[in-house]
Amino acid sequence: MIYGIGTDICDIRRIRASLDRHGERFAAKVLSDGEMANWKSRSARWPERGVRYLATRFSAKEAFSKAIGLGMRMPMTWRLCEIGKLPSGQPVIVLHGELKKWFEAKNLSAHITVTDESEYAASFCVVETRAPLPVQTSPNP
């Protein structure tokens, strides 16, 4: 059953302007430690690729925060929500700390997609309530 749906579109120029104004501090506010390492690596090779990476993560976290109905308030924080990827390249949401505990206690699962084009990054997130695990009973003798 669908718990919530969230979408976000982000102007990449706005992310670039924030980076110009605040430098790495802005990225450190939005990205988890793992994402930060990836952002630095991409930015070193091709700065524009780093900006797009940050914009897609920003957008994905906004969409997720809307889908869970919290916005950016506890336990939802930028750094406790990470956008990872499977070996296939499919993006996945990886949660940490209190946000992970909250999400698991509600028995939720999430699906995320991200995309970017010349001036915009966009994301769409669907959060579902997982079916409860069946109760196992021991067979009667």
Side-chain angles (χ1 to χ4, degrees), residues 1-64:
M1 174 186 291
I2 293 179
Y3 180 86
I5 297 172
T7 189
D8 188 74
I9 186 166
C10 174
D11 189 329
I12 295 172
R13 296 167 296 188
R14 192 179 103 211
I15 298 298
R16 188 179 300 109
S18 292
L19 279 170
D20 290 346
R21 255 191 326 275
H22 304 290
E24 194 173 300
R25 279 188 337 212
F26 176 69
K29 177 183 173 184
V30 173
L31 302 174
S32 69
D33 292 340
E35 290 169 323
M36 190 70 175
N38 202 345
W39 174 76
K40 285 180 179 180
S41 172
R42 287 175 184 230
S43 296
R45 287 192 312 257
W46 185 24
E48 183 60 22
R49 194 166 174 216
V51 173
R52 289 177 179 284
Y53 177 85
L54 180 56
T56 58
R57 274 43 193 180
F58 185 97
S59 176
K61 293 176 186 195
E62 282 282 338
F64 175 75

Side-chain angles (χ1 to χ4, degrees), residues 21-128:
R21 255 191 326 275
H22 304 290
E24 194 173 300
R25 279 188 337 212
F26 176 69
K29 177 183 173 184
V30 173
L31 302 174
S32 69
D33 292 340
E35 290 169 323
M36 190 70 175
N38 202 345
W39 174 76
K40 285 180 179 180
S41 172
R42 287 175 184 230
S43 296
R45 287 192 312 257
W46 185 24
E48 183 60 22
R49 194 166 174 216
V51 173
R52 289 177 179 284
Y53 177 85
L54 180 56
T56 58
R57 274 43 193 180
F58 185 97
S59 176
K61 293 176 186 195
E62 282 282 338
F64 175 75
S65 74
K66 293 170 185 175
I68 61 174
L70 293 177
M72 285 298 172
R73 62 182 169 85
M74 292 301 287
M76 176 64 198
T77 69
W78 294 107
R79 294 181 45 80
L80 293 180
C81 179
E82 181 175 347
I83 309 304
K85 68 177 181 173
L86 299 177
S88 66
Q90 177 185 351
V92 293
I93 295 178
V94 180
L95 302 177
H96 305 283
E98 290 301 313
L99 181 57
K100 181 179 181 177
K101 290 178 192 170
W102 178 87
F103 194 77
E104 289 175 350
K106 291 190 166 290
N107 201 30
L108 301 174
S109 65
H111 310 278
I112 188 82
T113 187
V114 299
T115 190
D116 64 277
E117 195 45 59
S118 59
E119 296 177 3
Y120 299 97
S123 300
F124 187 76
C125 182
V126 175
V127 173
E128 297 178 295

